[in-house]
Amino acid sequence: MTSLPAQAQESPPIANLRALPAISPLRVFRSAALHRLGAAGREALTNLDLAAVIDLRELGEIMDAPDELEGSCASAAWISIPLYQGPVPLSTPIDRVYRDLLERRQPQLCAAVSALARYAASGVLVHCKAGKDRTGLVVGLSLAAAGVSRDIIATDYARSGSALPPEYREHVTAMVQAAGLDGAEAATAHELHLESPPAALLSALDFVDTTYGSVSEYLHAGGVTAAELDALATPLTERSVQESTS
């Protein structure tokens, strides 16, 4: 069994594929959608030896580009949790998209974190289309609940935009042009789909702290159990105990 290091190779066989930082030995990975993998992508999935894959995309997105798990991790549980529950936003400001998800899709976000926590020890990968926004928010909430520092969370999130492949960037540009967007609207759309500014995720996490008291309280209110929260926090808890007794 092979695991990816937190700092994955510059051009992984699957866009945005990498391990979550600072929670080893938990085996939690993130990526873009698992379609059109090719031999290298299928080999990468096989080596991860996943117990579950969490797909955050809408049903239409899944139908257009279904995950290709056969031959790489066909035995893994495939868990579909569409986050938007409707159309994928095109040119909404990124801060607004994250705030809307937190306010309107708390049950879905918490279901994704619960699934991630349940399979964290045995191997789980969470993804959306680009592996940036929906995945970034679920990962950010999970890492924050685990006690990972906001600096580490923001640094990991910031990698997502720059890791998008040229063909995806071309796809977004064509989509924006087809929608007739220009000027400020086009710039907003490009930021939403192609960039990962740390301030956007940090602002979302700050909103949770201010509104709900803490990320853990937000998740618990949305159905994440105490045992699942403990499972996420175990690595840092054990590390703290080891450091205090050394």
Side-chain angles (χ1 to χ4, degrees), residues 4 14-21 28-32 124-127 131-133 135-137 139-140 143 153 156-157 160:
L4 285 176
I14 302 169
N16 265 319
L17 176 62
R18 59 186 182 272
L20 270 59
V28 184
F29 306 91
R30 61 183 295 170
S31 76
V124 60
L125 183 147
V126 59
H127 77 83
K132 184 178 79 69
D133 298 309
T135 299
L137 197 52
V139 166
L143 291 176
I153 295 172
D156 177 66
Y157 167 79
S160 302

Side-chain angles (χ1 to χ4, degrees), residues 176-192:
V176 170
Q177 291 174 344
L181 303 182
D182 56 18
E185 275 192 317
T188 298
H190 278 99
E191 180 182 52
L192 173 62

Side-chain angles (χ1 to χ4, degrees), residues 6-144:
Q7 299 296 323
Q9 54 183 303
E10 287 187 8
S11 300
I14 302 169
N16 265 319
L17 176 62
R18 59 186 182 272
L20 270 59
I23 58 170
S24 177
L26 296 183
R27 301 181 54 252
V28 184
F29 306 91
R30 61 183 295 170
S31 76
L34 305 176
H35 71 287
R36 297 179 183 174
L37 295 182
R42 289 191 293 272
E43 181 181 8
L45 279 187
T46 299
N47 289 340
L48 293 181
D49 190 24
L50 297 171
V53 171
I54 304 168
D55 191 337
L56 305 175
R57 297 176 298 165
E58 300 304 298
L59 297 182
E61 294 176 288
I62 295 170
M63 292 178 65
D64 289 342
D67 282 349
E68 298 175 1
L69 305 184
E70 194 68 36
S72 54
C73 54
S75 63
W78 183 77
I79 303 168
S80 174
I81 306 175
L83 283 194
Y84 288 130
Q85 299 285 297
V88 177
L90 176 60
S91 58
T92 307
I94 192 169
D95 290 338
R96 184 70 255 173
V97 169
Y98 290 6
R99 179 77 63 88
D100 284 347
L101 285 171
L102 289 167
E103 290 181 326
R104 301 178 184 179
R105 301 292 179 254
Q106 184 180 15
Q108 289 78 21
L109 285 167
C110 292
V113 173
S114 288
L116 186 150
R118 288 197 305 274
Y119 289 97
S122 52
V124 60
L125 183 147
V126 59
H127 77 83
C128 51
K129 183 174 182 178
K132 184 178 79 69
D133 298 309
R134 288 167 283 187
T135 299
L137 197 52
V138 168
V139 166
L141 291 169
S142 300
L143 291 176

Side-chain angles (χ1 to χ4, degrees), residues 142-154:
S142 300
L143 291 176
V148 176
S149 75
R150 298 289 166 96
D151 285 345
I152 291 176
I153 295 172

Side-chain angles (χ1 to χ4, degrees), residues 106 150 204-219 221:
Q106 184 180 15
R150 298 289 166 96
L205 295 177
D206 287 345
F207 167 76
V208 171
D209 288 340
T210 301
T211 307
Y212 297 88
S214 70
V215 169
S216 292
E217 290 178 80
Y218 172 86
L219 294 174

Side-chain angles (χ1 to χ4, degrees), residues 161-206:
S162 60
L164 293 172
E167 57 268 25
Y168 185 80
R169 295 181 175 278
E170 293 167 3
H171 163 72
V172 169
T173 298
M175 179 177 65
V176 170
Q177 291 174 344
L181 303 182
D182 56 18
E185 275 192 317
T188 298
H190 278 99
E191 180 182 52
L192 173 62
H193 295 282
L194 298 177
E195 299 177 20
S196 50
L201 183 59
L202 292 175
S203 176
L205 295 177
D206 287 345

